Amino acid sequence: MSLSIFDLFKIGIGPSSSHTVGPMLAAGRFIDQLNADQLETSQPKNKTSLSAISRVKIELFGSLALTGKGHATDTAVLLGLLGEQPDQIDTQQVDSLVDQIRHQNTLNLAGEHPIHFDESRDLIFHFQDTLPEHPNGMRFSAFDQAGMICLQEIYYSVGGGFVLSNDEIKAKPKLSTGSELGGISAEHRPYPFQSGSALLAQGQTSGKSISEIMLLNEAALWSIQGTNMPQEQIKAKLLHIWQVMDDCVRRGCKATGILPGGLNIKRRAPELYRELTEKPENALKDQLTVMDWINLFAMAVNEENAAGGRVVTAPTNGAAGVIPAVLSYYVRFLPHANEDGIVQFLSTASAIGMLYKENASISAAEVGCQGEIGVACSMAAGALCAVMGGSNEQIENAAEIGMEHNLGLTCDPIAGLVQVPCIERNTMGAVKAINAARLAIRGDGYHHVSLDSVIETMRQTGLDMQDKYKETSRGGLAVNVVNC
Ligand code: SF4
């Protein structure tokens, strides 16, 4: 695997990793490329290429066009062209930044070169067309004053906030998505693995847990890139990821109101939080109250995500509530929970996520919701099994169960918004993950269906799935529920 743990867990902005975070990063890459070109042409540094640009055109294709409005893809590319980054942008400023562009018909490229911007002319949704390499394609063009194209680039947002240029995606096999930190050979890791069985074999030979393998591989990855990242630093980075997740849960428990987008969906987390905290004695009468808490954690995150708040891709935004909900369950409900357990949880989850990313897909536009909620459930199941004391074999079993019972899950968001069925679906994914971990921990690790088999089955099922069920809002609930 040439992926980093932090490729799977990226701090970003809602509502979608593939349709918001990815396009924002792609727009940023386009700006970077304009700046890189200025260096190649040896023109005086500082604004030379940007200052030659008088118009930028963005074209969105396939799923990015069909659900782009609901997933805020248009907003995302504008923010990226402004020079904003998904992990750093002040989420409270998004509306005013975009309103400014729209009211003034001016786009300040990289925050330093204002150009005229006519959204109806310069931001095009190609609802009928798809670019050849992936359903989430976009084309950026920059023009000079004479109307000549100075630079044109195609990017693909391949799921989970990963972006590949046209050249990069062509260099990779179909349905295999590379790391942003790509170019690192798996052989440079102390414990390379490309499959679940290889991961288990590494564990058997070395006597190490999956988490230990991941932390050692991660340190090697950073070292190969020239960055000394001791394990303590990796652990601190993982605890920061948890902190951002936990902050998101806490914000979501308090934020009231209607979610944006026009469906008039009311936030449910704050009411549930109030009920659970005002009458804690109810838990004595109903032992399944813990399930209400798990539902609350997941809903809180995904309502924040739907409102464009700060979330961590886990491994995507649409499924961003599953892992924080299960990790919150571990932290708040399991005895002996501690920081080492949080690190173990996230590093184990990332190993499982990498297997899906490298051998199938985490893009709903490619494989449906199996690639989002299904993968998040599988990651969370294995991770919870690990912190409950499960062996590597039991972890692999839990991860397999987590996906086996999500196979065929379609993506059909109503009105293209990441709200229905997405928010509730995260609660289902979280509860299912806990059940999968419990099933696995009661066994001895032996099981009939391997994780590798279920990943391959998920990939094939995704290929067979009709496009209308793959983040296009052209089938399923999206066409059978009347919008009021
Ligand atoms: S239905 Fe699933 S895959 Fe589709 S947008 Fe919602 S959470 Fe993401």
Side-chain angles (χ1 to χ4, degrees), residues 188-231:
H188 288 110
R189 305 294 187 87
Y191 302 100
F193 63 91
Q194 294 289 339
S195 62
S197 59
L199 177 58
L200 287 179
Q202 288 286 11
Q204 279 156 9
T205 311
S206 66
K208 296 192 182 306
S209 69
I210 290 174
S211 169
E212 288 167 337
I213 286 171
M214 292 306 294
L215 294 173
L216 289 164
N217 278 353
E218 185 72 18
L221 172 70
W222 288 92
S223 162
I224 293 161
Q225 291 184 313
T227 305
N228 182 27
M229 179 81 87
Q231 291 229 353

Side-chain angles (χ1 to χ4, degrees), residues 361-380:
S361 172
I362 58 170
S363 166
E366 279 187 303
V367 295
C369 199
Q370 312 172 101
E372 294 209 20
I373 297 291
V375 173
C377 177
S378 179
M379 291 167 71

Side-chain angles (χ1 to χ4, degrees), residues 18-19 23 57-69 73-74 77 122-141 152-158 166 363 365 470-472 474:
S18 57
H19 288 52
K57 181 175 164 192
I58 312 112
E59 297 165 271
L60 305 173
F61 295 85
S63 174
L64 288 185
L66 290 165
T67 59
K69 285 279 182 199
T73 309
D74 46 355
V77 291
D122 296 330
L123 181 45
I124 311 294
F125 289 73
H126 290 287
F127 296 108
Q128 306 298 333
D129 302 321
T130 302
L131 292 177
E133 304 299 330
H134 191 281
N136 291 338
M138 63 207 117
R139 183 162 58 213
F140 291 83
S141 309
Q152 187 170 71
E153 189 60 79
I154 288 173
Y155 297 101
Y156 294 94
S157 179
V158 295
N166 204 31
S363 166
K470 294 198 275 194
E471 212 165 7
T472 56
R474 284 180 157 170

Side-chain angles (χ1 to χ4, degrees), residues 153-473:
E153 189 60 79
I154 288 173
Y155 297 101
Y156 294 94
S157 179
V158 295
F162 289 79
V163 173
L164 295 174
S165 69
N166 204 31
D167 290 344
E168 288 164 346
I169 202 168
K170 281 184 170 165
K172 292 181 174 299
K174 290 276 183 208
L175 272 178
S176 176
T177 53
S179 168
E180 285 176 341
L181 307 174
I184 308 291
S185 164
E187 284 68 43
H188 288 110
R189 305 294 187 87
Y191 302 100
F193 63 91
Q194 294 289 339
S195 62
S197 59
L199 177 58
L200 287 179
Q202 288 286 11
Q204 279 156 9
T205 311
S206 66
K208 296 192 182 306
S209 69
I210 290 174
S211 169
E212 288 167 337
I213 286 171
M214 292 306 294
L215 294 173
L216 289 164
N217 278 353
E218 185 72 18
L221 172 70
W222 288 92
S223 162
I224 293 161
Q225 291 184 313
T227 305
N228 182 27
M229 179 81 87
Q231 291 229 353
E232 286 314 307
Q233 219 170 314
I234 296 168
K235 290 178 183 176
K237 231 167 129 59
L238 282 169
L239 290 173
H240 176 61
I241 292 288
W242 159 241
Q243 191 59 56
V244 178
M245 287 177 172
D246 193 42
D247 288 348
C248 187
V249 170
R250 290 170 192 275
R251 279 197 315 277
C253 286
K254 298 279 172 65
T256 55
I258 303 292
L259 294 171
L263 277 185
N264 290 322
I265 302 289
K266 190 180 163 196
R267 283 178 181 253
R268 284 187 286 172
E271 206 165 312
L272 181 52
Y273 176 70
R274 189 180 48 74
E275 280 174 21
L276 289 170
T277 49
E278 275 182 2
K279 294 180 185 161
E281 67 277 12
N282 283 352
L284 299 171
K285 297 181 222 153
D286 179 0
Q287 301 205 338
L288 288 182
T289 302
V290 64
M291 202 187 281
D292 296 332
W293 279 100
I294 297 158
N295 290 336
L296 168 69
F297 302 143
M299 273 200 298
V301 170
N302 283 84
E303 287 175 359
E304 278 295 282
N305 181 58
R310 170 76 66 238
V311 294
V312 178
T313 61
T316 67
N317 277 28
V322 174
I323 285 175
V326 178
L327 188 45
S328 293
Y329 163 74
Y330 163 70
V331 168
R332 293 176 167 96
F333 287 93
L334 294 198
H336 314 304
N338 56 30
E339 289 193 341
D340 285 346
I342 294 169
V343 169
Q344 187 186 9
F345 187 107
L346 289 174
S347 51
T348 304
S350 70
I352 297 159
M354 286 178 191
L355 292 172
Y356 286 99
K357 180 138 183 62
E358 289 285 318
N359 297 307
S361 172
I362 58 170
S363 166
E366 279 187 303
V367 295
C369 199
Q370 312 172 101
E372 294 209 20
I373 297 291
V375 173
C377 177
S378 179
M379 291 167 71
L384 181 63
C385 184
V387 294
M388 288 166 73
S391 64
N392 288 352
E393 286 72 20
Q394 286 170 314
I395 293 168
E396 186 257 6
N397 188 8
E400 181 279 314
I401 295 169
M403 174 55 78
E404 184 178 327
H405 307 289
N406 276 301
L407 287 173
L409 196 63
T410 59
C411 171
D412 52 0
I414 296 176
L417 295 162
V418 193
Q419 297 179 11
V420 185
C422 318
I423 295 169
E424 267 179 15
R425 190 161 288 176
N426 276 265
T427 70
M428 296 297 156
V431 171
K432 195 180 282 189
I434 294 170
N435 198 26
R438 293 184 72 89
L439 276 171
I441 208 103
R442 296 272 178 187
D444 59 5
Y446 174 79
H447 52 109
H448 198 68
V449 179
S450 70
L451 178 57
D452 290 332
S453 304
V454 88
I455 291 174
E456 175 56 16
T457 305
M458 175 266 217
R459 188 187 73 83
Q460 288 178 19
T461 306
L463 286 173
D464 289 342
M465 201 180 274
Q466 291 185 38
D467 283 348
K468 64 182 179 177
Y469 299 119
K470 294 198 275 194
E471 212 165 7
T472 56
S473 288

Side-chain angles (χ1 to χ4, degrees), residues 99-107 115-119:
D99 285 350
Q100 217 173 328
I101 296 169
R102 288 175 172 155
H103 288 139
Q104 298 177 358
N105 285 330
T106 301
L107 179 55
I115 59 168
H116 180 73
F117 186 75
D118 176 350
E119 191 162 347

